[in-house]
Amino acid sequence: MDWMNVVIEYGRIILFALITLIVGLIVIKFIVRIVGKQLERSKLDESLKPFLQSLVSAILKILLLISVVNILGYPTASFVAVIGAAGLAIGLAFQGSLANLAGGVLLLTVRPFRVGDYIEGAGYNGTVKAIQILYTELITPDNKVIFIPNGNLSNAGIVNYSVNSTRRVDFKFGVGYEADTKHVIQTLESVVHSHQAILQDPEPFIRLSAHGDSAVEYTVRVWVNAEDYWDVHFDILEQVKTRFDQENISIPYPQMDVHVTNE
């Protein structure tokens, strides 16, 4: 009977499609497992590895689904068009999240900073606590937690203060015009060279740098280990003020001389 032949034929197609689906899922699972092992051996960030593994799995399953639909006799072109349209609609609806996702992949791949680095970016600064797929978590010096969307962070300039082991600390000190230049420089040199955390190579820089409206400006630049930056910054400010007082070197306030003439 013709209808029996049709049933048998469709039964064979459905059975073949079912076998293809089952075998395909097994093969995909095997491939994803291999990819996972390769990712574990790679130097990629730990947060990126499960995402890439899931992405490979999703792509392979979509390809398998298209193959099964083709076996069943449905036009794959229409099916692909539906998937594409759905993908476009989802992309438009979640374009902000997708931008963050792309930014997260970029940050985890290029790695302009790592967990524990002190960075400045997207208008914020702090120590990196975690780099997630969508957000980067910062802890500010006053212990606030900031979640920055990776899309914003990856498209902004990033300053990483922890990449190099040393940093330069810059100071500017205003001194009264009546102070002897040689005496001021010697006093600053004494303060700088007495601080144990300041490196002598590169050599500290101490020079008169500007003639201001009410003060002579001296620039001091010293190199320190990165972890000593703030200790040296505050120590030198305090010690210079103390030594200037001891040496009777004035730190003038902004002032204006007014000359009155009688006509």
Side-chain angles (χ1 to χ4, degrees):
M1 298 174 61
D2 292 339
W3 64 270
M4 284 295 296
N5 294 331
V6 172
V7 170
I8 293 173
E9 183 63 26
Y10 274 105
R12 289 176 179 175
I13 293 174
I14 293 174
L15 180 61
F16 180 61
L18 184 61
I19 294 174
T20 301
L21 178 63
I22 295 173
V23 174
L25 289 174
I26 295 173
V27 172
I28 289 174
K29 185 177 181 180
F30 177 73
I31 294 174
V32 170
R33 188 179 303 167
I34 293 177
V35 171
K37 291 181 179 179
Q38 294 298 322
L39 290 173
E40 287 297 324
R41 298 173 186 171
S42 69
K43 296 181 180 180
L44 292 174
D45 192 276
E46 292 299 326
S47 301
L48 185 58
K49 292 176 182 179
F51 169 74
L52 291 177
Q53 191 172 358
S54 300
L55 182 62
V56 171
S57 175
I59 292 174
L60 291 176
K61 287 178 180 178
I62 290 174
L63 294 176
L64 175 62
L65 183 60
I66 293 174
S67 299
V68 172
V69 169
N70 186 46
I71 292 172
L72 292 174
Y74 293 98
T76 54
S78 301
F79 185 73
V80 171
V82 171
I83 293 178
L88 178 61
I90 294 173
L92 291 174
F94 296 96
Q95 55 183 340
S97 298
L98 291 177
N100 293 335
L101 177 63
V105 173
L106 181 63
L107 292 175
L108 291 169
T109 304
V110 179
R111 306 186 78 172
F113 54 83
R114 301 169 183 268
V115 173
D117 287 353
Y118 189 89
I119 69 168
E120 179 181 344
Y124 301 96
N125 60 77
T127 302
V128 179
K129 181 180 180 181
I131 309 171
Q132 305 297 341
I133 290 297
L134 297 179
Y135 295 91
T136 293
E137 186 176 346
L138 297 186
I139 297 181
T140 63
D142 57 348
N143 208 32
K144 295 177 183 176
V145 180
I146 301 175
F147 295 91
I148 305 177
N150 286 332
N152 296 345
L153 192 57
S154 62
N155 290 321
I158 299 173
V159 180
N160 191 332
Y161 294 98
S162 303
V163 172
N164 296 323
S165 59
T166 59
R167 290 182 61 186
R168 195 181 75 185
V169 192
D170 295 350
F171 302 94
K172 291 187 182 297
F173 298 103
V175 174
Y177 271 92
E178 72 280 359
D180 180 69
T181 299
K182 185 176 180 180
H183 182 208
V184 174
I185 292 178
Q186 288 176 343
T187 302
L188 291 172
E189 287 177 345
S190 175
V191 172
V192 166
H193 290 298
S194 65
H195 201 294
Q196 296 182 350
I198 293 177
L199 304 176
Q200 298 305 311
D201 185 19
E203 186 178 355
F205 175 90
I206 304 172
R207 294 295 297 272
L208 189 156
S209 58
H211 294 161
D213 293 334
S214 58
V216 179
E217 191 174 272
Y218 292 82
T219 296
V220 177
R221 298 170 181 163
V222 298
W223 288 88
V224 299
N225 292 321
E227 61 271 17
D228 296 328
Y229 181 91
W230 288 112
D231 287 339
V232 170
H233 174 82
F234 293 116
D235 287 349
I236 294 300
L237 288 177
E238 293 174 0
Q239 293 172 15
V240 166
K241 175 61 170 64
T242 300
R243 285 298 302 276
F244 277 8
D245 290 343
Q246 293 173 353
E247 300 293 332
N248 294 319
I249 299 174
S250 65
I251 303 176
Y253 297 100
Q255 61 185 14
M256 178 182 296
D257 292 336
V258 180
H259 301 275
V260 180
T261 59
N262 295 323
E263 295 182 357

